[in-house]
Amino acid sequence: MVLRIFAALATIIIALIMSGGIAMADGAVLSGTVFFRERIMLPETAKVTVQLLDVSSADAPAKVLGEATASGKSPPYAYAIPYDPDAIVPGHRYSVSARITEGDKLLFISDHA
């Protein structure tokens, strides 16, 4: 059973802008945290992967603009995704996607953009 991570992009973007987490210069970074409600400890081998995606094209896979990984037993998991600010195109739609895996097994995945 896939459990869900809360990754509402609008909330993340507002929080990041207010906290200065988005740097609009060479070497821009999108940072934040991933958490889940379930009160469980993850295996030490669990891996958190967070991606910044261009989801503008409905008939093609999302384009990965940046990715970060983290690990640990319990949330929150901090991430910092480096990306090229020149890759951000006005009018395109973007999403932050998070997943937690253990090997090939999916433990959690975000379901909000």
Side-chain angles (χ1 to χ4, degrees):
M1 178 174 149
V2 176
L3 301 174
R4 295 187 168 110
I5 297 174
F6 301 100
L9 181 59
T11 304
I12 291 172
I13 290 175
I14 291 169
L16 291 172
I17 290 171
M18 294 185 74
S19 69
I22 297 178
M24 292 298 172
D26 291 342
V29 174
L30 174 69
S31 61
T33 56
V34 173
F35 63 94
F36 50 87
R37 275 192 194 172
E38 288 74 13
R39 298 181 91 110
I40 60 172
M41 298 291 279
L42 295 176
E44 288 188 28
T45 55
K47 181 173 106 174
V48 180
T49 304
V50 184
Q51 295 178 320
L52 174 60
L53 304 168
D54 182 340
V55 295
S56 301
S57 184
D59 60 345
K63 180 179 177 185
V64 178
L65 301 179
E67 180 175 294
T69 60
S71 60
K73 285 186 170 183
S74 63
Y77 301 97
Y79 65 86
I81 303 173
Y83 69 95
D84 178 4
D86 293 333
I88 304 300
V89 179
H92 279 211
R93 294 180 308 123
Y94 299 92
S95 178
V96 175
S97 172
R99 63 180 54 229
I100 301 175
T101 57
E102 181 185 19
D104 293 335
K105 182 179 177 185
L106 180 63
L107 303 176
F108 293 86
I109 189 166
S110 59
D111 66 347
H112 293 87

